[in-house]
Amino acid sequence: MDLKNQRQDYHTKVLLEEEIGMNPFELFTAWFLEANQVEAEANAFTIATSMNNRPQARTVLLKELTNDCFVFFTNYHSTKGRSIESNPNVSMLFFWQKLERQIRIEGVASKTSATYSDEYFYSRPIESQIGAIASTQSAELNERYVLEDRIKELTAFYKTNPIIRPENWGGFAIKPSYFEFWQGRASRLHDRIVYEVNGDSWKRGRLYP
Ligand SMILES: Cc1cc2nc3c(=O)[nH]c(=O)nc-3n(C[C@H](O)[C@H](O)[C@H](O)COP(=O)(O)O)c2cc1C
């Protein structure tokens, strides 16, 4: 593997103060809409959590952007769920390769209401609902057939019984206090614009690349 000579130059776009406003949600939305046209799964992002000084990152899917929060769904008993329970400070990362863009977000995560989680849970295909019930996410699974047998059992059971969302499955809403918008530029002289929460508004700045 010749990684040292693997080099990509970025030159398609720029990020200038005069072209953006003071609201990071508006810029996120504009970038997201563009990414959604060209990236396979623009709503996939990495979420890093930290429990007992052990940082852990994984990909999840953005399912809603409300007025002030980013929402994803998961199992509250999973590693990430327990991590957020013990330390709600999280970091999110979107990387949109075709646009040569990255967005870093830091914020605090909290569980969405049961009603909100229900609404999304029941909108999912039945197979996904059964999957969420069958998977004790992040617990050790000795053999795959154990999960497959459980899915068969539950699928038969739910032919005649109503499905109920497990209490340990639902949404997390992340309220951001920091955004960094990164636009790749030539010769590694990238643009980095940051927004930090400042009372009811946002303070905007620029970082060296
Ligand atoms: C593209 C992609 C999307 C994913 N979306 C989710 C998601 O929305 N929710 C989720 O719980 N896991 C999702 N996963 C799986 C997680 O990355 C992870 O494997 C799982 O949640 C267990 O993580 P944990 O043990 O750190 O809790 C996704 C994985 C990929 C690659």
Side-chain angles (χ1 to χ4, degrees):
M1 279 204 295
D2 183 14
L3 296 175
K4 287 196 178 106
N5 283 316
Q6 203 165 304
R7 216 163 262 122
Q8 177 89 36
D9 203 29
Y10 308 118
H11 44 72
T12 58
K13 292 184 187 316
V14 301
L15 177 58
L16 303 175
E17 284 80 349
E18 50 267 34
E19 290 167 11
I20 55 175
M22 292 303 295
N23 183 334
F25 286 95
E26 282 172 12
L27 184 53
F28 179 91
T29 303
W31 276 27
F32 181 81
L33 292 174
E34 258 184 88
N36 221 15
Q37 302 291 318
V38 293
E39 307 282 349
E41 246 181 336
N43 64 328
F45 68 94
T46 304
I47 178 161
T49 60
S50 179
M51 179 163 52
N52 301 328
N53 263 342
R54 183 173 168 192
Q56 293 174 311
R58 76 291 281 161
T59 314
V60 292
L61 296 176
L62 180 68
K63 285 292 164 177
E64 192 176 6
L65 174 55
T66 68
N67 272 347
D68 60 354
C69 282
F70 292 84
V71 180
F72 74 97
F73 290 86
T74 194
N75 186 314
Y76 293 139
H77 294 168
S78 65
T79 302
K80 84 184 85 48
R82 286 182 293 109
S83 189
I84 291 171
E85 191 97 41
S86 75
N87 174 7
N89 297 296
V90 301
S91 176
M92 303 167 59
L93 183 81
F94 291 84
F95 172 47
W96 293 319
Q97 189 183 18
K98 296 205 168 99
L99 299 172
E100 304 171 344
R101 284 174 174 167
Q102 164 181 266
I103 304 179
R104 286 162 73 164
I105 299 167
E106 292 170 15
V108 174
S110 58
K111 285 180 185 171
T112 57
S113 71
T115 318
Y116 185 95
S117 295
D118 279 347
E119 204 181 303
Y120 177 64
F121 181 82
Y122 295 117
S123 77
R124 303 175 83 209
I126 187 159
E127 295 78 13
S128 306
Q129 296 181 26
I130 291 175
I133 294 168
S135 173
T136 48
Q137 193 179 52
S138 312
E140 189 172 354
L141 173 62
N142 290 329
E143 303 248 24
R144 188 174 167 91
Y145 81 83
V146 175
L147 172 64
E148 287 174 357
D149 284 357
R150 177 111 182 97
I151 295 280
K152 272 187 216 141
E153 254 171 52
L154 290 171
T155 304
F157 179 78
Y158 287 120
K159 284 216 163 91
T160 51
N161 292 280
I163 295 193
I164 296 171
R165 175 183 62 85
E167 275 181 19
N168 64 312
W169 193 96
F172 276 115
I174 300 164
K175 189 170 169 139
S177 53
Y178 179 89
F179 285 77
E180 181 200 315
F181 294 84
W182 182 99
Q183 177 69 64
R185 298 282 304 266
S187 310
R188 302 289 183 256
L189 300 177
H190 316 300
D191 287 322
R192 299 177 70 190
I193 298 286
V194 294
Y195 292 83
E196 260 178 285
V197 79
N198 184 22
D200 289 341
S201 59
W202 294 87
K203 189 163 89 70
R204 198 181 67 192
R206 175 178 282 270
L207 302 179
Y208 278 95

